[in-house]
Amino acid sequence: MTPDLPRLAPRKADSHKGDFGRVLIVGGSRSMAGAAGLAGIAALRGGAGLVQLAVPEVCADTVASFEPSYMTQPLPCDREGRLAIEAREPIAELARRATVLAVGPGLGQSAELTELVAWMYTSLPLPGVFDADALNALAGRRSALQTPAAARLLTPHPGEFKRLGGNLDRDADRHEQEDQAARLAAQWGAVIVLKGHHTLITDGRRCAHNATGNPGMATGGTGDVLTGILAALLAQGLAPYEAARLGTHVHGLAGDLAAEQLGQVSLIATDLLRFLADAFRKIEAP
């Protein structure tokens, strides 16, 4: 294993699933059910003891069909098959039994979702990963970023980051974006994972760059896999900055192992799921 990477604690012989945390993933919509499924399977492959997906009732059966090892909870939805504001109370109840929250994969965008995501960010007192359309919702309610209810890990790609930061210089180069990410992480009390070539991880005080990954991973769904991995590592007790460092490394390594066998052109997000076990074994090897 790379010497300076964070490590998960060894598993005791008498461990049970409750020892490795319960991940609650809020996401999915009629047209993007697969994104929630990818995040859920990645959370399981990332080592979480229990994973539950809270998704619109219109696509709950579809999401459940992807993987029998996680649980699904159907929630109220709007006419377009996206979560409705009436999902707030069921989500609050599910969160009381969870260890970690992950919000965004396949969520979609609407005024009600903006309200719902801002409420989760500021009111649910458990560590959370916010990605994809959850970031777009927060960009529409930036005041919420100042008052997180617990530790928050944000995983924007450069376009999402520009929207999230509001008045950021849209012509900024990568170096300037990274400086901005460190400043905003400190201001918001969050960890930011600024995705891209040599992904940046920063909490405003510390910065690290991930060295794994390849261009074949520039395909739909790979970010949803990262969300699930990060949530699983948080659920197993890693602090957000350490979870982000280890999670981005494992995610990229799974992509590298997949590309070795499949090539970069044909690589898809589900290939990362297939190679996650090999990636974890590789980093755990002496």
Side-chain angles (χ1 to χ4, degrees), residues 143-222:
S143 59
L145 293 162
Q146 306 289 344
T147 56
R152 298 294 184 239
L153 205 166
L154 312 177
T155 60
H157 59 57
E160 291 165 341
F161 179 65
K162 289 178 182 178
R163 292 190 290 274
L164 199 63
N167 60 353
L168 297 181
D169 181 359
R170 296 187 179 277
D171 296 321
D173 62 20
R174 179 70 183 190
H175 178 74
E176 292 170 322
Q177 284 188 353
E178 292 188 356
D179 287 345
Q180 293 168 340
R183 175 175 56 81
L184 290 176
Q187 180 180 327
W188 296 336
V191 171
I192 293 178
V193 175
L194 182 58
K195 293 185 286 196
H197 182 54
H198 291 165
T199 288
L200 172 76
I201 302 102
T202 181
D203 62 359
R205 297 181 296 107
R206 298 168 289 179
C207 293
H209 288 91
N210 182 52
T212 59
N214 63 82
M217 297 171 67
T219 185
T222 57

